[in-house]
Amino acid sequence: MLKEMLTNNINVVEEAASWEEAIKIAAAPLKEKGYIKEEYISAMLQNVVNNGPYIVIMPGLAIPHSRPEHGVIKTGMSLLKLLKSVKFPEDKEIELIIVLAANDSEVHLELISELTNLLMEEEAIKKLFSSKSKEEVLQCI
């Protein structure tokens, strides 16, 4: 399911001017395809402003998200690979951003489980961080 969700929702870009721009770029495929509303992106940004970089779940990787009522239309995920890291609050250097938008708790838990399994595979993580194209990213998932 993880690969299905991400297949057409991956962007690889050189860099982002700020962590805010990085989250917007990461969320763009979901917005463009009608999975989320603009208010969901605003809510993700506000979560970081209010709570700090709690979405940084491991060095180099952030998973921005918000509550379903903040603009999720249907469950989806997108991934942004930055070739040059961007600084999040507290000087956290981020290269990978996975946006999670869920309106179904069962699917949400399934996606989190699959993502957790992926993140525990050391070799897959190394390849993901060294990826330079959408195709290379997909091979890791």
Side-chain angles (χ1 to χ4, degrees):
M1 177 184 281
L2 185 63
K3 191 167 193 158
E4 289 170 27
M5 287 273 182
L6 289 173
T7 296
N8 295 310
N9 296 321
I10 296 170
N11 280 318
V12 177
V13 300
E14 184 68 27
E15 62 187 325
S18 65
W19 66 266
E20 295 95 334
E21 181 187 2
I23 289 176
K24 289 175 185 177
I25 295 168
L30 297 178
K31 184 179 175 225
E32 289 165 9
K33 293 175 181 151
Y35 285 78
I36 60 173
K37 297 177 184 176
E38 182 67 35
E39 68 186 85
Y40 189 75
I41 297 170
S42 298
M44 290 190 294
L45 295 171
Q46 196 58 49
N47 279 345
V48 176
V49 170
N50 292 346
N51 304 308
Y54 77 98
I55 60 172
V56 177
I57 61 156
M58 64 186 289
L61 174 67
I63 303 181
H65 57 280
S66 190
R67 308 257 332 134
E69 61 269 20
H70 293 150
V72 177
I73 299 164
K74 63 182 184 177
T75 298
M77 290 180 84
S78 59
L79 183 147
L80 173 64
K81 169 65 171 93
L82 295 164
L83 300 180
K84 292 182 183 172
S85 64
V86 66
K87 281 193 187 213
F88 269 59
E90 299 178 15
D91 289 331
K92 307 264 185 198
E93 296 280 343
I94 300 298
E95 293 174 47
L96 283 170
I97 299 174
I98 300 173
V99 174
L100 178 58
N103 68 353
D104 175 320
S105 60
E106 192 173 307
V107 174
H108 175 252
L109 290 174
E110 193 175 326
L111 285 170
I112 293 292
S113 174
E114 286 186 37
L115 187 56
T116 301
N117 289 338
L118 173 68
L119 298 177
M120 289 175 23
E121 293 178 33
E122 196 172 322
E123 205 52 44
I125 290 300
K126 283 181 188 173
K127 287 180 183 175
L128 204 49
F129 277 103
S130 65
S131 295
K132 303 213 180 319
S133 71
K134 291 179 184 184
E135 295 74 25
E136 287 180 20
V137 169
L138 265 177
Q139 289 174 4
C140 302
I141 301 168

